[in-house]
Amino acid sequence: DAGVIQSPRHEVTEMGQEVTLRCKPISGHNSLFWYRQTMMRGLELLIYFNNNVPIDDSGMPEDRFSAKMPNASFSTLKIQPSEPRDSAVYFCASSFPPGTGELFFGEGSRLTVL
Amino acid sequence: GENVEQHPSTLSVQEGDSAVIKCTYSDSASNYFPWYKQELGKRPQLIIDIRSNVGEKKDQRIAVTLNKTAKHFSLHITETQPEDSAVYFCAALSGNTPLVFGKGTRLSVIA
């Protein structure tokens, strides 16, 4: 398996633009997590899904952030409109079974909002 | 919910010395405690984990200890090498909720 695949690896955009980050979890994993990493806050859990269903989105900072998982092999994290304070590395991770196993992280998407 | 505190935030050691990173957790129901290593510009990766029915676990130069009564666990790295330089995260898991991570420790091994 190729592991968790994220795209894009790097994104530079201007304030106000829409940003879409994509994630393909490891096949067979039924839990998917979106994290944001900054120097100040460390690894923050934004939202997670079990069997494609959003379970807890309390970590999503604002309504500008939204996430979807239309099927077991694809998830998106969208920021609209983006702001400079959204600049961070966004990691997607998957695991199986939910809550009891190792988390496998993708390479991350480094977002810079100018 | 669970809260994980990690100390120190930065740690510098001479090559060959030992390094110890400590974490405390708040939820007595937590039963799984992994440690992740994140090299510069890379993803976090699991290096060792321990479950609540075990007090200590070793894997070559790294070991983890768990004190359930005091609700703390530690990572020990012996004979440190430059390639051990990274950010290390502890985490705790309770039931089916997601892992809760500590803020991380930046370890620098000085050759």
Side-chain angles (χ1 to χ4, degrees):
Chain A
D1 200 313
V4 176
I5 299 172
Q6 290 186 246
S7 65
R9 292 292 313 280
H10 302 275
E11 173 100 5
V12 180
T13 191
E14 293 193 345
M15 183 174 63
Q17 296 297 306
E18 178 179 294
V19 174
T20 300
L21 307 179
R22 298 173 178 80
C23 176
K24 181 181 187 309
I26 292 172
S27 178
H29 283 192
N30 56 4
S31 292
L32 183 140
F33 307 81
W34 282 101
Y35 287 89
R36 179 172 68 177
Q37 185 175 36
T38 60
M39 288 291 290
M40 292 295 293
R41 294 173 170 266
L43 272 169
E44 298 176 275
L45 178 65
L46 301 178
I47 185 171
Y48 76 100
F49 297 82
N50 280 349
N51 296 315
N52 313 338
V53 176
I55 302 301
D56 184 355
D57 66 354
S58 60
M60 297 285 259
E62 297 169 36
D63 291 345
R64 298 183 296 106
F65 286 69
S66 62
K68 294 182 179 179
M69 192 166 186
N71 57 61
S73 58
F74 184 66
S75 177
T76 60
L77 177 67
K78 187 173 291 188
I79 308 172
Q80 167 63 19
S82 58
E83 296 183 4
R85 59 194 167 119
D86 301 330
S87 298
V89 179
Y90 291 82
F91 285 102
C92 175
S94 68
S95 74
F96 178 83
T100 62
E102 177 181 352
L103 266 187
F104 292 83
F105 285 84
E107 298 275 13
S109 293
R110 181 176 294 277
L111 173 65
T112 302
V113 183
L114 303 174
Chain B
E2 178 63 277
N3 182 51
V4 176
E5 300 283 340
Q6 183 171 349
H7 300 280
S9 56
T10 60
L11 179 62
S12 291
V13 299
Q14 292 289 330
E15 182 178 0
D17 286 351
S18 295
V20 180
I21 302 170
K22 299 181 180 181
C23 290
T24 60
Y25 60 99
S26 60
D27 187 350
S28 57
S30 289
N31 56 10
Y32 175 64
F33 307 92
W35 287 86
Y36 284 76
K37 175 183 180 182
Q38 185 179 25
E39 297 177 357
L40 188 63
K42 300 286 183 64
R43 74 185 93 186
Q45 291 188 285
L46 179 73
I47 55 170
I48 194 166
D49 56 14
I50 191 167
R51 297 194 182 269
S52 58
N53 58 346
V54 175
E56 182 175 357
K57 183 176 178 180
K58 293 182 76 171
D59 183 4
Q60 298 182 345
R61 295 187 298 107
I62 60 173
V64 289
T65 57
L66 171 65
N67 183 327
K68 288 175 57 181
T69 303
K71 288 190 281 190
H72 66 70
F73 56 113
S74 300
L75 176 71
H76 304 252
I77 307 174
T78 58
E79 300 172 27
T80 53
Q81 301 169 3
E83 53 264 39
D84 295 328
S85 296
V87 179
Y88 291 82
F89 293 94
C90 63
L93 179 71
S94 175
N96 285 332
T97 59
L99 281 175
V100 176
F101 285 90
K103 287 282 194 282
T105 297
R106 183 174 300 279
L107 173 65
S108 299
V109 179
I110 303 164

